[in-house]
Amino acid sequence: MTFASTGLDPDQRLARERFAAFADEHLVPHADAWDAAGELPPAVVALLADHGYLGAAVPVGHGGEGLDEISFGMLCEEVGRACSSVRSLLTVHSMVSHAVARWGSPGQRERWLPELATGRAVGAFALTEPGAGSDAGAITTRAERVPGGYALTGHKHWITCAGIAGVFLVFAKLAGEPTAFLVERDRPGLSVTPRGGALGTRASHLGDVLLDDCRVPDDARVSRPGFGLTAVGASALELGRYSVAWGCVGLVEACAAASLAHADSREQFGRPLREHQLVQRMLADMVTAAAAARLLCRQAGLLRQAGDPRSVQATWLAKYFAAGAAMRAADDAVQVHGARGIGGDHPVQRYLRDAKVMEIIEGSTQLQQITIAEAAYMFRARSEPDRAPGRQWSVTT
Amino acid sequence: MDDIRQRVRAFLDQFLHGHRIDDDENYFATGHFNSLFVMQLVLFVENELGVPVEDEDLEMENFNSVSAIARMVERKSRAADRG
Ligand SMILES: Cc1cc2nc3c(=O)[nH]c(=O)nc-3n(C[C@H](O)[C@H](O)[C@H](O)COP(=O)(O)OP(=O)(O)OC[C@H]3O[C@@H](n4cnc5c(N)ncnc54)[C@H](O)[C@@H]3O)c2cc1C
């Protein structure tokens, strides 16, 4: 018995089955090998595109699937259950697609959305810099007005899919104002250095992006100067957070499935592990965490679908809880497997490494705790006296 | 217009912890709003006041006071009625 389909309409149930079958057939058998190789074969991008998954966040009118929020979430869950590196690709690509669909000019939408939906261009999100991580407002990448466009100079690091992206959504300061730009990979002045040896999501083509007087035309700018982070970046990060939260549900499910199977087949002290009560505690926590994290993701999805302002807060709750749940579940999954969980021939050690990444990306656990606690005051009785300290206008990833 | 102002005030009150603002005051200056606020404001204007926020509406002058938001909503509603 599983709760994964509770509350879904018939189309969503079918979509869920399709996503699960795709993950089981095309991703699960290869995820460990991709992780070991530190890259995804190009065929994976083609496969995702053929199934329409790269167009998940692209509106139907522009060649995409325009998936509803719950279906998009379930896609991230099923892909995340199989391979967090592929889920990362799907996440950043969908973030860029969403930013263009939501805030791009008609020309940008026409040019980029079909490219993104078909996978002719993979999208990457280039915000983080050596001096600007959680405090994204501290970016120092500069955009300067030049005849016919802009010149970008700066250093972005830890960029998912940097190695394979065809287009980067780059955040820079234009006359001091955070502003977003779409930059093609082959622009002179843009170069990518791969970043190997990461703990988790090892196959996600992480890299540094260097911009050295990289010239882009006028129409590369997305939305108004000054709204690069608070509108373009924030709405993309919202989607990213939502996608990662669902991906974490998938990770917890994968931990539970592996642990249930192992505890069933492995015997110690004359009994299968599943009969030892301290092992049962770990199994119970995993199964409960998967159901709870999924409910928080569903809540966020329903509010996002309705365009409700509370979706922002609901998405933080979902990501915070799901990332922590994934970390605990992966830790327990390794424990249930004993030495086998440490060895390189079992996926649970990959789950543990990938889960740690989830506590850092799209708003670290600490930034989420701060944001969630602050937002909780919004729901207090209005009559409370003003005790809130003045806050800085800051942007967090 | 008064109804819109009232709804905007009620929305902003959630963030202001009892701090009072005038309708023409730049409320961003109060320091009560973090980066996530803009997305919530956009969703509020679209979902609860019923006007879509487009790229060209993203000007601080459209959002930085209760009166500014009400004026933008009025203007966009009139344009939609005419269109
Ligand atoms: C695998 C991976 C993929 C990534 N992909 C992308 C990508 O595609 N695009 C992109 O732009 N970026 C990407 N990033 C970067 C990611 O967004 C940043 O790592 C993240 O924002 C945190 O920034 P930081 O690493 O500089 O840590 P820091 O901001 O330096 O934080 C270090 C620690 O201090 C804590 N901390 C910071 N500020 C506070 C505070 N005010 N109170 C309490 N604790 C605090 C943090 O929680 C963290 O634990 C990726 C990172 C990883 C690991």
Side-chain angles (χ1 to χ4, degrees):
Chain A
M1 184 186 69
T2 164
F3 300 106
S5 295
T6 314
L8 300 181
D9 68 29
D11 286 346
Q12 289 169 336
R13 270 170 203 266
L14 283 177
R16 180 181 183 85
E17 283 167 21
R18 244 189 2 259
F19 303 152
F22 170 83
D24 285 333
E25 182 182 347
H26 297 294
L27 307 180
V28 170
H30 310 293
D32 282 327
W34 297 336
D35 180 71
E39 60 180 26
L40 300 172
V44 172
V45 174
L47 201 63
L48 290 169
D50 287 349
H51 283 77
Y53 300 155
L54 295 182
V58 174
V60 175
H62 288 281
E65 298 284 306
L67 285 188
D68 68 86
E69 294 287 346
I70 298 295
S71 297
F72 176 66
M74 293 189 304
L75 174 62
C76 297
E77 176 188 341
E78 290 302 331
V79 172
R81 177 174 61 80
C83 176
S84 291
S85 291
V86 177
R87 204 271 310 129
S88 296
L89 185 163
L90 186 64
T91 297
V92 294
H93 180 85
S94 300
M95 287 165 74
V96 175
S97 305
H98 177 68
V100 175
R102 179 68 182 87
W103 299 113
S105 66
Q108 286 166 339
R109 288 203 286 261
E110 233 158 81
R111 156 126 200 248
W112 285 112
L113 293 179
E115 295 281 300
L116 291 162
T118 54
R120 281 195 295 274
V122 169
F125 185 83
L127 172 60
T128 305
E129 299 180 1
S134 303
D135 181 9
I139 55 169
T140 56
T141 295
R142 281 191 331 272
E144 275 164 15
R145 206 76 181 90
V146 293
Y150 303 89
L152 306 179
T153 301
H155 176 190
K156 301 291 180 182
H157 75 172
W158 286 101
I159 307 307
T160 299
C161 288
I164 55 171
V167 62
F168 295 86
L169 185 63
V170 173
F171 296 84
K173 287 200 173 148
L174 175 64
E177 302 273 21
T179 308
F181 296 88
L182 284 165
V183 186
E184 297 97 323
R185 181 188 199 84
D186 54 9
R187 287 264 161 211
L190 184 150
S191 58
V192 172
T193 320
R195 183 176 274 268
L199 175 71
T201 62
R202 296 174 68 101
S204 63
H205 296 267
L206 288 160
D208 286 26
V209 179
L210 282 167
L211 298 149
D212 180 11
D213 194 31
C214 176
R215 303 289 171 116
V216 295
D218 276 332
D219 64 6
R221 198 190 76 215
V222 184
S223 188
R224 316 264 137 165
F227 284 90
L229 287 178
T230 49
V232 184
S235 55
L237 284 163
E238 278 298 307
L239 179 137
R241 226 163 262 142
Y242 179 66
S243 166
V244 169
W246 276 101
C248 289
V249 176
L251 259 176
V252 180
E253 283 289 0
C255 291
S259 302
L260 288 167
H262 184 72
D264 195 27
S265 60
R266 170 81 175 156
E267 283 192 14
Q268 285 295 281
F269 300 99
R271 293 191 287 166
L273 294 180
R274 60 179 284 187
E275 291 181 15
H276 294 292
Q277 290 186 340
L278 293 176
V279 173
Q280 289 176 342
R281 196 282 293 161
M282 292 190 268
L283 299 176
D285 280 359
M286 284 180 220
V287 173
T288 308
R294 186 180 291 108
L295 281 175
L296 285 174
C297 288
R298 286 253 177 90
Q299 169 173 278
L302 293 173
L303 291 168
R304 281 176 63 81
Q305 190 68 39
D308 191 307
R310 289 172 301 168
S311 61
V312 175
Q313 164 76 345
T315 301
W316 279 80
L317 293 182
K319 162 46 172 77
Y320 171 53
F321 183 82
M327 191 62 207
R328 287 188 297 275
D331 190 7
D332 281 348
V334 170
Q335 196 67 23
V336 168
H337 283 75
R340 289 167 180 77
I342 303 289
D345 54 356
H346 202 289
V348 289
Q349 50 84 24
R350 171 166 55 87
Y351 303 155
L352 181 60
R353 291 186 285 102
D354 289 344
K356 188 64 214 169
V357 171
M358 307 312 151
E359 293 195 314
I360 292 170
I361 56 169
E362 309 295 350
S364 70
T365 290
Q366 288 71 32
L367 267 291
Q368 279 158 358
Q369 288 165 336
I370 292 167
T371 308
I372 290 168
E374 281 185 354
Y377 284 99
M378 275 176 56
F379 300 103
R380 279 205 318 177
R382 301 261 167 81
S383 57
E384 289 283 331
D386 182 12
R387 285 195 302 260
R391 255 176 281 150
Q392 297 297 310
W393 177 264
S394 60
V395 175
T396 57
T397 58
Chain B
M1 188 85 162
D2 281 348
D3 171 51
I4 296 172
R5 279 172 196 264
Q6 210 168 355
R7 286 158 72 186
V8 174
R9 258 185 249 122
F11 174 73
L12 294 179
D13 272 351
Q14 299 178 95
F15 300 83
L16 285 165
H17 309 289
H19 183 102
R20 295 269 155 246
I21 47 162
D22 294 334
D23 279 4
D24 294 317
E25 184 180 338
N26 180 348
Y27 58 85
F28 285 114
T30 62
H32 283 279
F33 298 89
N34 69 12
S35 62
L36 302 176
F37 168 73
V38 172
M39 277 316 297
Q40 294 176 75
L41 177 62
V42 167
L43 290 169
F44 165 76
V45 170
E46 292 194 325
N47 200 39
E48 291 177 34
L49 302 182
V51 298
V53 177
E54 329 266 1
D55 176 32
E56 61 264 22
D57 303 317
L58 287 184
E59 299 284 357
M60 263 307 170
E61 301 79 70
N62 284 333
F63 290 99
N64 60 9
S65 70
V66 172
S67 302
I69 296 170
R71 276 196 302 273
M72 176 186 70
V73 170
E74 278 279 293
R75 194 174 62 245
K76 288 185 68 89
S77 308
R78 270 202 310 272
D81 288 347
R82 274 202 307 273

